[in-house]
Amino acid sequence: MLINSVDKPNFLLPRIIDLKDFTYASLLFSHIPEPNDYAFNVMIRGLTTTWQKYQLTIEFYYQMKSLYLMPNNFTYPFVFIACANLLELNHGRAAHSSVFKTGLDKDGHVSHSLITMYARCGELGFARKVFDEISERDLVSWNSMISGYCKMGCAGDAVQFFCEMRTDGFEPDERTLVTVLGACGDLGDLSLGKWVEGFVVENKLEMNTYVGSALIGMYGKCGDLSSARRVFDSMKKKDLITWNAMISGQVPLPQV
């Protein structure tokens, strides 16, 4: 049915991502006589998020431009994510230039992915510049910068940015908490780490494997092994990440 529908890309392409079969999806795309920007955007999204074929994401982006199709705010976030994962700063900067010329730098999704790209490529100054130019910041904006600082080993800047975020009236979500706990562990900042656990308890947030494992890791790095064990024992569900956090933190394991 899908092969017989190649002349109807609006019917076909939303199903390409669901296929999760890269070879078949590529074959289907190649049979579209004149792929439009929508067709390219669906493939670029699939290449980036479903198949993690980041080099092909960039190639499809340039192919799209060579056909005089206009990349838009559904294109650039995935291009920047691909550049971030490949550490392709030159391609990222070129795409940023195109974004600026078309005025898409004001789009939230584009800005967030730009921050991620620059941070992953070690250009925290450019990441901060993009952040500062966002007129209406949201939690994703803050998380992108905090995560960027942590990934580059700038735990102190990450914690400072977290404090600025709260001063600006934003409450952390799960992603923020996990990232900040990692920074606390790197800095040995036990007091802030304990505040995070208190925030989770006070706001009745789920102590899932991500937050719980991050807490265990933080307490382990800070040398508070009893608290790490307490968090471990309180978790209803444990996975490999949880056990690895216990082992890497040299926390005494329960006897089997």
Side-chain angles (χ1 to χ4, degrees):
M1 179 180 69
L2 289 176
I3 292 178
N4 293 331
S5 303
V6 292
D7 59 334
K8 302 174 183 177
N10 286 344
F11 167 81
L12 170 68
L13 289 171
R15 291 156 177 78
I16 286 183
I17 303 299
D18 297 332
L19 290 174
K20 297 185 178 179
D21 184 329
F22 170 70
T23 303
Y24 189 37
S26 299
L27 178 64
L28 290 171
F29 182 85
S30 68
H31 278 77
I32 299 174
E34 295 182 2
N36 55 18
D37 56 349
Y38 175 78
F40 271 99
N41 282 342
V42 171
M43 276 301 292
I44 285 172
R45 176 164 60 92
L47 288 166
T48 307
T49 61
T50 302
W51 303 302
Q52 288 85 51
K53 293 184 178 291
Y54 303 118
Q55 189 61 49
L56 282 178
T57 296
I58 296 174
E59 291 177 14
F60 265 71
Y61 164 68
Y62 283 117
Q63 183 183 349
M64 181 182 186
K65 294 188 71 175
S66 72
L67 295 174
Y68 300 100
L69 296 172
M70 186 69 72
N72 53 35
N73 57 330
F74 293 101
T75 316
Y76 284 110
F78 300 107
V79 172
F80 290 131
I81 290 170
C83 291
N85 280 279
L86 294 173
L87 303 181
E88 282 282 6
L89 184 58
N90 289 336
H91 289 306
R93 280 177 169 163
H96 186 187
S97 177
S98 297
V99 161
F100 184 78
K101 291 175 183 176
T102 55
L104 288 172
D105 54 317
K106 303 296 188 294
D107 181 88
H109 295 296
V110 173
S111 297
H112 300 151
S113 57
L114 255 176
I115 291 171
T116 299
M117 186 273 293
Y118 278 125
R120 289 267 189 95
C121 291
E123 295 287 348
L124 290 173
F126 281 102
R128 180 61 191 262
K129 186 174 186 296
V130 173
F131 176 86
D132 289 340
E133 290 174 352
I134 297 175
S135 57
E136 295 184 9
R137 298 168 190 150
D138 58 14
L139 186 57
V140 179
S141 313
W142 288 95
N143 279 345
S144 297
M145 278 302 303
I146 293 170
S147 176
Y149 279 126
C150 280
K151 282 184 169 63
M152 291 305 299
C154 302
D157 291 316
V159 168
Q160 180 181 343
F161 222 71
F162 171 71
C163 295
E164 290 178 19
M165 182 193 84
R166 297 203 66 243
T167 301
D168 214 32
F170 289 92
E171 292 293 355
D173 63 3
E174 179 184 298
R175 181 187 175 190
T176 323
L177 298 175
V178 169
T179 305
V180 169
L181 283 170
C184 291
D186 291 340
L187 294 171
D189 191 339
L190 186 59
S191 60
L192 180 56
K194 286 184 174 180
W195 178 91
V196 170
E197 183 180 9
F199 180 87
V200 171
V201 174
E202 182 180 342
N203 289 275
K204 298 180 180 178
L205 302 179
E206 180 187 2
M207 186 67 75
N208 58 33
T209 55
Y210 297 106
V211 175
S213 299
L215 272 169
I216 292 169
M218 181 276 297
Y219 279 127
K221 286 183 177 180
C222 291
D224 190 346
L225 303 186
S226 61
S227 292
R229 179 59 190 272
R230 172 180 53 76
V231 172
F232 178 85
D233 290 339
S234 70
M235 293 175 64
K236 295 179 180 179
K237 183 179 179 181
K238 304 173 180 69
D239 60 11
L240 184 60
I241 298 174
T242 313
W243 286 96
N244 283 341
M246 290 284 286
I247 294 169
S248 63
Q250 298 182 336
V251 182
L253 298 173
Q255 298 297 318
V256 179

